[in-house]
Amino acid sequence: MITTDNKESRINVTVFGEFTLADYKEFEEVANYKVQFEGPVSLLFDLREMNGFTVDMALEEIRFARAHAHDFARIAILTDDQWVTWSAWLSKFFVDADVRVFEDTDDAEAWLGGIETPVA
């Protein structure tokens, strides 16, 4: 299950439990709309409550990232999971957005707002 919160030029996504293809499609709808009407947007993915993901969701994420390589400004990922951190690093090859991983919400929010924070 996911929740999305739309802000100006930004989308906040929180994932609870298993991240499924249906969840990702919900995110895609919001992202496509925002990009179409606002241009490049920033993302905050809170994955601290995620306990896994489906293979079809992972494949869709790669497809979507390749199709929207220039549509995102900054992507902040909240997690303390090393596997998720590694996959976030890998996603940098598919998008030209600045992607960073954070453990603290305030640091992620500040960075998305333009305040530089040390890279973890």
Side-chain angles (χ1 to χ4, degrees):
M1 180 179 126
I2 68 167
T3 62
T4 57
D5 178 26
N6 299 313
K7 299 180 181 237
E8 186 175 339
S9 299
R10 189 163 121 199
I11 304 167
N12 293 349
V13 178
T14 304
V15 178
F16 300 95
E18 186 174 54
F19 199 1
T20 67
L21 180 59
D23 295 330
Y24 200 83
K25 292 287 189 179
E26 182 180 328
F27 157 72
E28 283 180 347
E29 284 182 35
V30 173
N32 285 330
Y33 181 86
K34 297 280 282 182
V35 167
Q36 181 180 357
F37 292 103
E38 296 181 24
V41 297
S42 291
L43 305 173
L44 173 63
F45 272 98
D46 186 344
L47 304 179
R48 295 174 294 183
E49 298 297 321
M50 181 180 78
N51 65 13
F53 55 88
T54 61
V55 173
D56 55 353
M57 187 287 305
L59 295 173
E60 181 65 15
E61 178 185 17
I62 293 168
R63 186 204 61 77
F64 183 79
R66 292 179 72 191
H68 295 275
H70 309 292
D71 292 337
F72 302 103
R74 288 184 168 192
I75 302 172
I77 301 170
L78 283 167
T79 186
D80 55 5
D81 184 289
Q82 288 302 103
W83 174 250
V84 174
T85 300
W86 181 83
S87 65
W89 176 82
L90 188 61
S91 71
K92 291 180 183 184
F93 292 111
F94 299 107
V95 295
D96 60 3
D98 194 359
V99 180
R100 293 206 187 161
V101 176
F102 297 89
E103 291 184 11
D104 181 77
T105 304
D106 292 337
D107 290 344
E109 293 275 356
W111 180 73
L112 286 172
I115 299 169
E116 288 302 316
T117 58
V119 177

